[in-house]
Amino acid sequence: MLIGAGADPKVCETSLNPSAIHRLGQRAKAMVEAAREEVRALVGAPKSAHVIFCSGATEANNHIFTLAARGARARASTGVGKQIVVTSFEHPAVLEPAQELARLGSSLAIIPVDTSGVLDQAAFEKALGTDTQIVSVMCANNETGLRFPVASLARTVKEKAPQAIFHTDAAQAIGKMPVNFAELGVDALSLSGHKFGAPAGIGALILAESVAAYPMIRGGTQESRLRGGTENVLGIVAIGVAAREARTSLTERIESMRSGAALVWQEISSGVPDALLRGSIDAGLPNTLSVTFPGCNADDLVVALDIAGVCVSAGAACSSGKPDPSHVLRAMGLTGAEARSTIRISLEPFMDRETVLRGADAIVKSVALMREQRCAHAV
Ligand code: PLP
């Protein structure tokens, strides 16, 4: 019981239950709805689209594959397909649900990319047909920053497989490039709050009205019955604030990250001339550099840099510690040794030049030290 008949009861609003009908619950509900509109505005989703808050992009991706498993279609048409089309660049949060559906009887086409990370358009078109149930292509890759032409792929899907749900995992793209649900022409989009300034543990699935919605979690009327359970009000309020920030300062964010990344690469390429950039600072995400340092073990480099106060990762952060080399780098044709010598460097928006230079300098020095030590061991 909360006693607060007065004007301003002293409670933490974000710990209130938005489903409660008393005034405090309604205040929490209003905050949740305001955040929903901020997220909708961030991704340019129409009023008719569902914005379903959830724990993050992993859950959102699983939700869309759950829908597909139930036979949901993008638009009413005859027949429900059994085929799934994804790219070899997708995050495990797409690949694993897709593989699970394949185990349950769907067929799965994984479209390859070339050594520059460009999708094999011919294989993509060939895979699409009247049996295609869901197509999932990420906006931008989390390890290389490489982008896919989602809008034009969506047009191809509408033409060749109009019944298919076209989903994009935009977890890495939001806050780093313009992402507009309506302009992309997708049916579903996943996003993750911690990629653009909200805390970890909050994200959303945006779902076009035309897709037959189906719950991810049952047991409550929350999120239009599509995701039961008391809402994470604190996370939702935070993602609303982060969404507004990301939307209103997108151009400045992009410029600051791109100039920081260019500076890092300039320092690395002059300090370590045989370093190889996978991807492109101009055409890819402005903040992500995937760099191979031939002969250096990426895991050792990550540890050395951590000691120097610089946080980078070997492959995707969420797959660190896995013995296998990155599936993304392997998909681009890197050998196991090359993939194991590659680190991902990410920049935050608005980092000052000094900090960026200090980070780049630590990378150059650590690589030189590792190489020296290896030579010393070899003597
Ligand atoms: N999809 C992509 C492209 C990602 O980069 C990530 C996380 O790094 C995810 C999905 C998973 O997001 P979350 O941590 O919000 O579940």
Side-chain angles (χ1 to χ4, degrees):
M1 178 173 69
L2 288 164
I3 309 215
D8 188 18
K10 296 279 174 276
V11 290
C12 174
E13 288 171 324
T14 52
S15 64
L16 292 166
N17 185 342
S19 299
I21 54 171
H22 52 62
R23 79 183 78 163
L24 299 177
Q26 291 309 298
R27 241 154 62 181
K29 186 172 171 53
M31 291 192 294
V32 166
E33 294 315 314
R36 202 182 309 281
E37 293 319 305
E38 289 293 355
V39 171
R40 190 190 303 284
L42 172 67
V43 296
K47 194 81 198 130
S48 58
H50 293 285
V51 175
I52 309 161
F53 286 122
C54 61
S55 64
T58 302
E59 183 181 326
N61 291 346
N62 274 268
H63 193 162
I64 196 68
F65 279 92
T66 302
L67 261 159
R70 301 299 303 183
R73 282 162 285 164
R75 281 152 286 280
S77 76
T78 50
V80 171
K82 274 270 184 198
Q83 197 218 14
I84 303 161
V85 180
V86 300
T87 80
S88 56
F89 250 35
E90 297 305 310
H91 190 275
V94 162
L95 287 175
E96 291 184 20
Q99 283 154 353
E100 176 61 9
L101 286 200
R103 273 191 291 275
L104 296 173
S106 297
S107 65
L108 173 61
I110 302 181
I111 311 301
V113 296
D114 69 12
T115 50
S116 315
V118 175
L119 191 70
D120 183 336
Q121 180 80 24
F124 183 72
E125 289 189 25
K126 201 164 160 228
L128 300 172
T130 50
D131 198 36
T132 309
Q133 167 70 5
I134 179 165
V135 180
S136 186
V137 179
M138 66 195 340
C139 282
N141 184 262
N142 44 309
E143 291 186 43
T144 60
L146 286 164
R147 293 157 59 161
F148 283 131
V150 172
S152 93
L153 296 172
R155 284 193 293 276
T156 308
V157 171
K158 289 222 171 82
E159 194 187 300
K160 299 203 171 269
Q163 77 290 345
I165 297 169
F166 187 38
H167 165 255
T168 189
D169 177 349
Q172 283 298 329
I174 306 273
K176 297 169 196 138
M177 59 181 259
V179 175
N180 187 292
F181 186 87
E183 286 170 14
L184 287 176
V186 295
D187 304 304
L189 179 151
S190 301
L191 59 86
S192 172
H194 68 104
K195 303 293 179 188
F196 59 93
I202 183 72
L205 175 67
I206 318 297
L207 195 60
E209 192 191 23
S210 56
V211 179
Y214 186 84
M216 176 67 197
I217 298 177
R218 292 178 180 280
T221 56
Q222 294 88 353
E223 300 300 287
S224 310
R225 286 194 173 274
L226 297 173
R227 204 255 186 188
T230 303
E231 295 88 339
N232 169 4
V233 180
L234 187 56
I236 291 173
V237 169
I239 201 173
V241 172
R244 188 172 56 239
E245 255 323 287
R247 177 171 55 85
T248 53
S249 63
L250 185 63
T251 310
E252 296 83 349
R253 287 165 72 95
I254 292 173
E255 270 166 22
S256 79
M257 290 186 281
R258 203 180 298 289
S259 63
L263 186 57
V264 170
W265 178 238
Q266 182 188 304
E267 296 298 302
I268 290 179
S269 54
S270 69
V272 187
D274 64 343
L276 287 159
L277 179 64
R278 312 286 176 183
S280 154
I281 297 172
D282 292 326
L285 289 180
N287 77 322
T288 308
L289 296 167
S290 174
V291 184
T292 306
F293 296 100
C296 278
N297 179 290
D299 287 332
D300 293 347
L301 188 54
V302 170
V303 173
L305 285 169
D306 189 32
I307 292 166
V310 178
C311 300
V312 298
S313 56
C318 45
S319 62
S320 292
K322 271 194 191 167
D324 303 333
S326 146
H327 76 278
V328 169
L329 299 175
R330 297 287 276 150
M332 286 173 75
L334 272 70
T335 63
E338 286 170 328
R340 284 195 190 88
S341 304
T342 303
I343 61 167
R344 182 185 66 170
I345 305 159
S346 312
L347 283 94
E348 291 297 313
F350 310 121
M351 288 173 81
D352 62 76
R353 193 179 154 83
E354 284 298 290
T355 309
V356 172
L357 281 174
R358 225 176 326 121
D361 184 53
I363 294 171
V364 171
K365 287 196 173 123
S366 300
V367 170
L369 193 64
M370 282 177 68
R371 286 179 168 175
E372 257 172 44
Q373 284 170 347
R374 217 190 45 225
C375 291
H377 288 148
V379 172

